[in-house]
Amino acid sequence: MESDISQRIIKIIENEGMSTRGFEKKIGTSNGVIARCIQKNSDISSGWLSKIIEEFPKYSAEWLLTGKGGMMKAEERLNKAILSRERASQDKSTEPLYLIESVKELAIENHELKKELEDLKREKKANEPPGYDVAAEPIVKSSRRK
């Protein structure tokens, strides 16, 4: 999980292959607004965050705001994988590259999901009443006979 929004904005800019100024133009900010935010690692207004989410819908709003979850929405990751697979099937010489890229993407997603699971476990533990022990809960067995 990234520590702040400005670092996640940098990731979006890099992923889009844009300059900071091109990104600023796309979301309609004045020249230097985002650049200063990044440079000073400062806060960005909620209005600009809304505009980023609106202009770049393939990125997860939760990830942008909190750093939790994956950078891209699950649907977008699936579409990207399908498109990559279609391209690879058209040219057999690129299939190994597709497979390597797929493994890398799956490894990244797996890592993100593991972090999200750990965050959820910590959150659950923090919300448990004092002295709560899940191991002490009775095991309920099914009454169905085989």
Side-chain angles (χ1 to χ4, degrees):
M1 185 166 51
E2 257 71 47
S3 60
D4 59 15
I5 292 173
S6 62
Q7 292 304 305
R8 291 187 289 277
I9 291 172
I10 291 171
K11 286 195 176 224
I12 292 173
I13 292 169
E14 289 172 352
N15 199 55
E16 291 295 313
M18 303 177 85
S19 65
T20 304
R21 182 61 195 132
F23 183 83
E24 290 171 333
K25 285 180 181 179
K26 178 118 176 149
I27 65 169
T29 66
S30 302
N31 189 10
V33 169
I34 300 299
R36 280 189 299 277
C37 166
I38 291 169
Q39 187 177 43
K40 295 179 179 181
N41 200 22
S42 61
D43 290 338
I44 183 169
S45 77
S46 59
W48 295 128
L49 289 170
S50 294
K51 195 68 174 164
I52 292 169
I53 292 166
E54 181 182 313
E55 290 295 324
F56 298 93
K58 66 183 178 183
Y59 297 97
S60 164
E62 180 183 15
W63 172 80
L64 176 62
L65 298 173
T66 68
K68 292 182 180 177
M71 178 172 153
M72 301 182 99
K73 291 180 180 174
E75 181 181 334
E76 187 62 32
R77 288 192 304 259
L78 178 61
N79 289 341
K80 187 176 176 183
I82 290 169
L83 183 59
S84 294
R85 180 66 183 137
E86 287 172 354
R87 285 189 192 134
S89 66
Q90 292 170 358
D91 180 4
K92 291 295 181 189
S93 67
T94 62
E95 192 160 12
L97 297 175
Y98 160 76
L99 294 174
I100 291 169
E101 190 61 32
S102 293
V103 168
K104 286 179 184 177
E105 288 174 5
L106 289 171
I108 291 168
E109 185 174 5
N110 187 37
H111 180 71
E112 290 172 349
L113 289 170
K114 283 181 179 179
K115 288 194 304 187
E116 188 174 350
L117 179 61
E118 289 303 315
D119 289 344
L120 290 170
K121 284 180 180 178
R122 278 192 293 278
E123 186 177 319
K124 180 182 177 200
K125 188 163 183 85
N127 291 327
E128 290 175 353
Y132 177 78
D133 182 10
V134 72
E137 287 186 9
I139 298 173
V140 179
K141 292 188 177 183
S142 172
S143 61
R144 283 186 16 211
R145 296 180 188 212
K146 292 184 181 180

